[in-house]
Amino acid sequence: MPVIDQLAQPDPTRRRPRRTAAGRPPWMDRPSPTMQSLKVVAIAAIVVVMLYPFLYVIMFSFADGRSVGSGQLWPTSFSTSAYESIFAGGVVTRSLLVTAGITVVGTLLSLVFTSMLAYGLTRTRQVPFSKAAMVMVLCTMFFGAGIIPNYLLVKQLGLLDSYWALILPGLISAFNMIVMRNFFMELPQELFESARIDGASEFRIFASIVLPLSKAVLAVIALFYAVGYWNSFFNALLYINDTTKWPIQLVLNQYVVQSNAMTDLQAPDRPAPPAQTVQMAIVVVATLPILVVYPFAQRFFTKGVLTGAIKG
């Protein structure tokens, strides 16, 4: 028998996937009631394990002194004195405004510079030394200068005790830039060629074609940057000595993790609530804004993650 005919014949020793009576693979069939019940129980247990700590923090942030002093696992009497005290003190309110400003400005600037760099590195023929620049960007993912050289650089640039010290050192993330560059490379090149024939410049192509087609990945990268800026406290710990410029995460670290005295957080004309409720209230205030924003960006996040996985 010729070799081609031998290859065309089915291999009798090859194991075929098991199929059900309906002719479908087992994983496509509807699970049995017992299996469905087990899945519901497992998912419910995971939800309880994940949500209980967060609900515990919220409940104890509203607990009054009697519930905290009695050592109850779940408070039975509630009060808003912790929130009234920290917001009347002014420190938490000011730090929230600082963090919000850093997050908004930093995210916008990071998106602008990351998208411009990513698009420039896709134009290997138009941009000279683009491959060398790509290698330099990749090197930053594996090699870092260290804390002391970074501090000396920020100091020499005159950025100590400046909000720019919290934005400029992390303005461009190499990982985010690579994700955006790969997305740009998947866009139809015919659109760019037709735009060049019509006389459009590279900046016009970038602003009028690339960015409108990249809303999904821009939303994903914006979410990454926003979460990073909101949760960042180490740069503030290194570069910010003025306590009036502390972001909320540094306040959270100093007064909850380090357990520093919280007298300056609270209003002087109010009775001091229990320290545990104040700590829990700061945790809620520092966490809640990003949790509120995430559901609105989730649909863009899902679309941006899936885009590029399917080849058309």
Side-chain angles (χ1 to χ4, degrees), residues 117-132 134 181 185 189 196 202:
L117 177 60
Y119 179 73
L121 292 180
T122 61
R123 306 294 95 189
T124 56
R125 296 181 179 179
Q126 290 81 8
V127 179
F129 307 109
S130 59
K131 293 184 179 180
M134 185 65 186
R181 176 181 178 271
M185 293 181 67
Q189 299 298 318
R196 293 191 185 95
E202 289 295 334

Side-chain angles (χ1 to χ4, degrees), residues 23-107:
R24 294 178 300 181
W27 58 83
M28 296 183 63
D29 277 347
R30 184 179 181 85
S32 63
T34 303
M35 185 60 65
Q36 283 185 329
S37 302
L38 292 177
K39 290 181 179 180
V40 170
V41 171
I43 293 175
I46 293 173
V47 170
V48 170
V49 171
M50 298 297 293
L51 289 182
Y52 177 77
F54 186 66
L55 294 177
Y56 177 86
V57 170
I58 294 177
M59 297 298 290
F60 260 93
S61 67
F62 287 100
D64 62 1
R66 290 175 299 176
S67 296
V68 175
S70 61
Q72 298 175 355
L73 184 62
W74 198 263
T76 56
S77 55
F78 302 96
S79 172
T80 59
S81 59
Y83 291 95
E84 294 174 359
S85 180
I86 62 175
F87 281 116
V91 176
V92 173
T93 305
R94 182 172 59 247
S95 62
L96 280 174
L97 294 176
V98 169
T99 304
I102 292 172
T103 302
V104 172
V105 175
T107 301

Side-chain angles (χ1 to χ4, degrees), residues 261-284:
M262 292 181 289
T263 54
D264 54 344
L265 287 178
Q266 304 166 6
D269 56 343
R270 293 176 179 268
Q276 184 179 359
T277 61
V278 175
Q279 292 176 343
M280 298 298 182
I282 298 175
V283 172
V284 173

Side-chain angles (χ1 to χ4, degrees), residues 131-194:
K131 293 184 179 180
M134 185 65 186
V135 173
M136 293 176 60
V137 172
L138 291 176
C139 288
T140 62
M141 297 181 62
F142 305 104
F143 305 100
I147 296 177
I148 296 178
N150 286 332
Y151 180 86
L152 294 177
L153 176 62
V154 171
K155 182 179 179 181
Q156 291 297 324
L157 294 175
L159 298 178
L160 290 180
D161 274 337
S162 171
Y163 294 133
W164 292 111
L166 308 180
I167 297 176
L168 295 182
L171 189 63
I172 297 178
S173 168
F175 174 80
N176 293 338
M177 191 280 301
I178 293 173
V179 171
M180 193 173 293
R181 176 181 178 271
N182 292 338
F183 184 90
F184 290 164
M185 293 181 67
E186 295 295 331
L187 295 177
Q189 299 298 318
E190 293 80 5
L191 294 176
F192 306 151
E193 296 298 334
S194 61

